[in-house]
Amino acid sequence: MKLFSKYNRILILISFLGLIVIGTLFYQMLIFYLNRQLDHDLVEEATEVKEYSTGGKFYSPHEFEDLIVQYHRIKSTRSYSIYGDTLFYNPVKRRNEHARFLRAEMELNGLPYQILVIASKMEKQEQIKNICLIILLPVCLLLIVVLLVNRLLLKKIWDPFGQLLQNITDFNINHEKPYKSVEMPVAEFRQLNQVLVDLSGKVKSDYEEIKLFTENASHEMMTPLAVINSRLDNMLQSNNLDTREGEILAELYRATSKLTRLNQSLLLLVKIDHNLLQEQQEIDLRTLLKEKTLYFQELVQQRNITMELNLSPAVIRANRQLIEVLINNLFSNAIRHNYEKGRIEVYLDAGQLVFANTGHNQALDAAKIFDRFYKDSTSDGTGLGLAILKQICARQYYRLNYDYLNDLHTFTITFKP
């Protein structure tokens, strides 16, 4: 939930609960004062009963007064008064009404009587309801106006902050476009915006320096490595070497070859990370996979590996160089980590590409195999093949999964994001 929405919901909830509590307390206070007023009227009415009950006659209130006085003969009188609420039938209005009563004992015409005076509360209750409506309705309207004004003010304050978040999301160090500054109405937000402007500039500057260093270092390393490989190749072809010298030169040749592959892989990762391979075209994957199968056929035959292909027509739009690297890495990985007389299965349809192969190891750690320089102890690779695979899929918005199914290491690439 967004901060703005959460704040508004809490404010509305507190206001609503506060209105209910205040309204209830206000209503109860009015009822309390109503009862006090009615009790006072009942006392006056009881006084009139005592004063005007003479000559064997009992006092009787006027019909329009909504009062009822009842007399009950008792043996003796006690000095007490009881007040309470009751429900009585009003004979004038012919309906049941809520009322307040007073029960007391007194002597009338020289005889003890218990009198019950009942006063209707209907009119007073209607007055209370009207008072509550007159007071609470404007309060509710005022509350609604305050909430609307508060919402508009907060929206005006927080809209630039939302734009700030959007600019942070859109910022990309690979693009030349700098981070966009936002005009902020609040001092704290202006300070945050300035910090982000300074931080983005420093990050972009540092990134450009690292990028330039990586590219230059990779390119500069290619030339001496090529010279070393060439000289080692010439020395290995010489007839003047004994067995020991030949083994040493072969080890050096393998080491420099691995270093060359590592340098090429790092340079490719730099290009992928910097999004330098953006050109896209229509690619017939089935045709490309058949070409790559022929390309790796010799390596497959040398190790007596069984190749099973199930290729359906599939055309994607992507960078051809990246897709070729992706397929090369899948084939190389499936062959390098396989064993003699192993098996490779390749499945292709319009939605996904699947490479499955047997291998010396059981299930690998799916959370780590795509990390750079991660490899098992038996591997002689650079540890960047699967990392390049992951980066290519991420750049092309493909989903890459690893599973160990039926004793097969299975890599699934789903083309649709």
Side-chain angles (χ1 to χ4, degrees):
M1 183 187 298
K2 292 184 177 180
L3 177 62
F4 180 56
S5 301
K6 187 173 184 179
Y7 172 79
N8 275 327
R9 290 185 183 182
I10 293 175
L11 181 62
I12 291 173
L13 179 62
I14 293 175
S15 301
F16 181 72
L17 293 177
L19 185 63
I20 291 177
V21 172
I22 293 174
T24 302
L25 292 176
F26 181 69
Y27 181 77
Q28 293 299 325
M29 287 297 296
L30 289 177
I31 292 294
F32 173 75
Y33 283 111
L34 167 65
N35 289 337
R36 287 189 60 182
Q37 182 63 40
L38 287 175
D39 291 346
H40 178 72
D41 294 341
L42 289 173
V43 170
E44 290 185 353
E45 196 68 23
T47 302
E48 292 183 0
V49 166
K50 188 172 184 179
E51 290 179 356
Y52 293 102
S53 294
T54 57
K57 295 181 179 181
F58 296 102
Y59 170 80
S60 179
H62 298 289
E63 293 182 356
F64 60 85
E65 288 182 325
D66 282 340
L67 285 171
I68 293 178
V69 180
Q70 298 176 353
Y71 302 89
H72 298 282
R73 179 73 183 274
I74 56 177
K75 294 180 180 180
S76 61
T77 60
R78 293 173 297 172
S79 177
Y80 75 92
S81 298
I82 299 176
Y83 301 92
D85 293 321
T86 186
L87 187 68
F88 83 110
Y89 178 76
N90 192 325
V92 178
K93 297 180 180 179
R94 296 180 181 179
R95 65 183 183 186
N96 290 324
E97 296 181 359
H98 291 280
R100 190 78 174 166
F101 72 86
L102 167 63
R103 182 181 288 112
E105 295 180 0
M106 62 182 66
E107 287 189 2
L108 301 176
N109 299 319
L111 298 173
Y113 282 90
Q114 182 190 75
I115 64 169
L116 179 64
V117 184
I118 302 174
S120 175
K121 296 172 62 175
M122 291 299 294
E123 290 186 3
K124 297 292 185 181
Q125 287 179 335
E126 290 297 326
Q127 291 177 0
I128 289 176
K129 290 179 181 178
N130 292 333
I131 292 172
C132 288
L133 289 175
I134 292 172
I135 294 176
L136 293 180
L137 282 179
V139 171
C140 290
L141 290 175
L142 178 61
L143 180 61
I144 292 173
V145 171
V146 170
L147 290 174
L148 290 175
V149 172
N150 179 73
R151 182 179 180 84
L152 292 175
L153 288 176
L154 286 177
K155 190 175 188 313
K156 185 176 180 181
I157 293 173
W158 283 95
D159 274 351
F161 184 78
Q163 184 62 47
L164 184 71
L165 294 179
Q166 185 62 45
N167 288 354
I168 296 173
T169 304
D170 295 340
F171 176 67
N172 192 330
I173 56 178
N174 289 323
H175 298 164
E176 295 183 0
K177 186 168 60 175
Y179 170 79
K180 291 182 180 178
S181 180
V182 182
E183 292 294 330
M184 309 296 285
V186 182
E188 290 79 3
F189 288 171
R190 284 198 298 270
Q191 184 179 359
L192 175 62
N193 179 69
Q194 187 59 46
V195 169
L196 289 173
V197 170
D198 297 339
L199 181 61
S200 63
K202 188 176 187 308
V203 168
K204 195 169 183 63
S205 175
D206 293 345
Y207 177 78
E208 291 296 333
E209 291 180 5
I210 295 174
K211 173 184 173 183
L212 184 61
F213 170 78
T214 305
E215 292 176 348
N216 292 339
S218 297
H219 282 294
E220 291 298 326
M221 288 173 62
M222 291 299 293
T223 301
L225 284 173
V227 172
I228 293 173
N229 279 331
S230 176
R231 295 293 176 86
L232 288 173
D233 189 46
N234 292 333
M235 293 177 67
L236 286 171
Q237 295 177 11
S238 174
N239 296 324
N240 300 323
L241 297 175
D242 57 24
T243 304
R244 179 57 180 167
E245 291 173 339
E247 291 176 354
I248 294 174
L249 287 176
E251 291 179 3
L252 290 174
Y253 186 79
R254 286 193 296 270
T256 53
S257 297
K258 183 177 180 180
L259 186 59
T260 301
R261 294 197 307 272
L262 177 61
N263 184 68
Q264 291 173 342
S265 298
L266 288 173
L267 185 58
L268 178 60
L269 278 173
V270 169
K271 290 181 179 180
I272 297 173
D273 290 341
H274 297 164
N275 202 19
L276 300 179
L277 302 173
Q278 298 184 4
E279 182 181 355
Q280 295 190 347
Q281 63 184 88
E282 299 291 335
I283 302 173
D284 186 343
L285 277 183
R286 182 166 68 169
T287 302
L288 183 59
L289 281 169
K290 288 181 178 179
E291 293 175 359
K292 295 298 179 181
T293 302
L294 294 175
Y295 179 79
F296 287 97
Q297 188 66 37
E298 184 177 352
L299 292 175
V300 171
Q301 291 176 351
Q302 286 177 359
R303 305 188 64 184
N304 297 318
I305 296 174
T306 303
M307 180 82 72
E308 298 179 13
L309 301 178
N310 185 0
L311 307 179
S312 300
V315 178
I316 61 173
R317 183 171 182 81
N319 182 272
R320 188 174 185 86
Q321 181 179 349
L322 291 180
I323 297 301
E324 288 188 356
V325 172
L326 182 143
I327 295 176
N328 287 339
N329 281 9
L330 287 171
F331 268 113
S332 299
N333 184 73
I335 296 171
R336 182 184 300 112
H337 298 287
N338 220 320
Y339 49 73
E340 291 289 332
K341 298 181 180 180
R343 188 170 84 256
I344 296 176
E345 297 178 3
V346 182
Y347 171 83
L348 172 69
D349 62 20
Q352 64 181 7
L353 171 63
V354 179
F355 268 73
N357 63 276
T358 53
H360 297 285
N361 299 323
Q362 296 297 314
L364 302 175
D365 189 347
K368 295 182 178 180
I369 59 173
F370 297 111
D371 293 345
R372 297 183 183 185
F373 301 107
Y374 174 79
K375 58 181 179 178
D376 59 67
S377 57
T378 61
S379 175
D380 60 349
T382 62
L384 292 175
L386 293 179
I388 292 175
L389 198 67
K390 178 183 177 182
Q391 286 300 98
I392 292 175
C393 290
R395 184 60 62 188
Q396 299 295 142
Y397 300 103
Y398 300 155
R399 185 169 65 246
L400 174 63
N401 291 326
Y402 166 78
D403 297 289
Y404 187 71
L405 304 172
N406 301 322
D407 296 330
L408 294 174
H409 299 278
T410 305
F411 294 88
T412 304
I413 298 174
T414 306
F415 301 126
K416 293 183 180 180

